[in-house]
Amino acid sequence: MKIALLDIGGTYIKFAAAQDEKPIEACEEYPTEGKKGGPHVIDRAIGLLEKLAPFDGIGVSTAGLVKDGYILYANENLPNYTGMNIKKILQEKFGVPVAVENDVCAAALGEAAYGRGRENPSFLCMTFGTGIGGALIHEGKLITQGGLPVGSFGHMITHKGGRLCSCGNRGCLEAYASTSALVQAVQETTGRRLNGREIFTAFYQGEQEIQETVREWMEEIVCGLFSIIHILNPSCIVLGGGIMNEDYIIDYLKKELYDRLIPCYQEVQIIPAQLGNRAGLMGARYLTEKLLTEG
Ligand SMILES: [Zn+2]
């Protein structure tokens, strides 16, 4: 059984093939060219899938809210993507079953099936990048309500009347605690546009302005997690996104949270994701295998 996998993000499309029980084969990535619009993105996706043909099924992890295989909502990074029925388009083009899932949910399902979930069947997943994504996994299954996932923690308002968020409102957690918010804050304090890795290099080298900015940013994450833990009482929180590869962040969050949480909530485990930037593809694989074996 061969499955073609796509991970359509705002910046890159990743694609790979998975054969039988083997690990996914070499994963390649190409610019999404999202600003050219949804139909262009799908044409690119079809072009990449043709390179992998023949296959028995297609698994797609994609930016945007997904319901029944179509895009219910996508932001301005992918204009005209909203409303596209990806499942139907790809099924008609290739004549094989297609599974489509939102990228955050796919990453959480990937972790559940092949990563952290092997030791923690229930966990809350948060990914830090351009925004903050969230998903809840209970006993290996994604929690949904009305066909949509639960856990858009990024749009929890933590600053009344604060910074403008990508959702159009003000003061959302992701406007303060996402990786983009950190990059922006560093630019404002130092005048330099650094990526996450460069920021942490400067942090470890002892640059004071950057250390202060990073600590303020981590405090924003602590505030968000503090609220979420008291609301949901999760047994485990898995933190994803490239920036969470910095052990320093995980150690800081653990220390600050365990000091502040009401004692009965201190049992929560806080751990980094395990599958890195392949989590979305792995989740898409899991869903497609399920589709092909269970019908
Ligand atoms: Zn928002």
Side-chain angles (χ1 to χ4, degrees):
M1 182 167 69
K2 181 178 171 186
I3 299 172
L5 300 169
L6 281 176
D7 186 349
I8 303 173
T11 315
Y12 290 102
I13 300 182
K14 291 198 268 290
F15 78 108
Q19 188 100 37
D20 302 322
E21 303 295 305
K22 293 180 224 156
I24 56 174
E25 290 159 21
C27 159
E28 291 181 52
E29 60 180 38
Y30 289 87
T32 307
E33 300 180 355
K35 293 284 183 203
K36 292 187 182 172
H40 176 77
V41 171
I42 292 303
D43 282 348
R44 282 178 74 71
I46 288 172
L48 297 176
L49 288 170
E50 280 168 344
K51 292 188 185 189
L52 299 173
F55 39 72
D56 305 294
I58 302 171
V60 183
S61 155
T62 176
L65 273 177
V66 177
K67 189 177 182 186
D68 301 329
Y70 79 96
I71 304 296
L72 202 60
Y73 169 78
N75 67 19
E76 70 279 6
N77 290 326
L78 294 165
N80 304 320
Y81 199 47
T82 300
M84 293 199 77
N85 194 330
I86 298 187
K87 185 182 169 98
K88 189 162 172 269
I89 294 169
L90 296 182
Q91 259 173 3
E92 283 174 2
K93 175 77 188 167
F94 294 98
V96 295
V98 180
V100 185
E101 185 53 278
N102 159 267
D103 50 7
V104 176
C105 297
L109 284 166
E111 285 291 337
Y114 307 105
R116 292 300 188 185
R118 289 178 297 178
E119 284 156 24
N120 304 278
S122 300
F123 61 89
L124 184 160
C125 184
M126 280 177 85
T127 54
F128 291 75
T130 314
I132 295 179
L136 279 168
I137 298 285
H138 182 69
E139 303 292 340
K141 294 202 168 65
L142 183 73
I143 304 289
T144 59
Q145 162 63 26
L148 288 174
V150 171
S152 290
F153 307 114
H155 302 291
M156 184 167 73
I157 293 178
T158 52
H159 293 252
K160 176 175 164 284
R163 291 180 197 153
L164 192 61
C165 177
S166 64
C167 72
N169 291 288
R170 287 192 173 274
C172 295
L173 179 66
E174 76 171 38
Y176 292 83
S178 62
T179 309
S180 297
L182 174 64
V183 168
Q184 185 67 27
V186 166
Q187 188 168 12
E188 281 164 19
T189 32
T190 67
R192 282 141 64 203
R193 184 85 181 166
L194 305 177
N195 64 29
R197 193 171 300 138
E198 291 162 342
I199 289 169
F200 271 85
T201 302
F203 178 91
Y204 297 130
Q205 285 168 349
E207 266 194 59
Q208 203 178 344
E209 272 182 324
I210 287 192
Q211 288 191 337
E212 281 167 21
T213 309
V214 167
R215 289 206 180 92
E216 276 172 30
W217 171 76
M218 289 193 297
E219 270 306 306
E220 299 288 350
I221 303 177
V222 169
C223 290
L225 290 178
F226 180 90
S227 304
I228 292 164
I229 292 166
H230 286 111
I231 293 165
L232 292 171
N233 186 24
S235 55
C236 177
I237 299 180
V238 173
L239 299 173
I243 197 104
M244 290 299 163
N245 291 331
E246 302 294 339
D247 292 340
Y248 183 88
I249 303 176
I250 304 285
D251 292 343
Y252 180 93
L253 297 177
K254 275 191 198 164
K255 181 183 178 307
E256 293 302 316
L257 282 163
Y258 294 152
D259 279 354
R260 294 181 216 180
L261 289 167
I262 293 173
C264 58
Y265 292 97
Q266 290 171 354
E267 296 294 313
V268 61
Q269 276 193 73
I270 296 167
I271 50 179
Q274 213 167 26
L275 302 180
N277 66 2
R278 288 190 176 195
L281 289 174
M282 300 289 276
R285 174 187 192 168
Y286 166 77
L287 288 170
T288 314
E289 280 179 356
K290 201 159 164 267
L291 189 66
L292 291 173
T293 51
E294 294 172 13

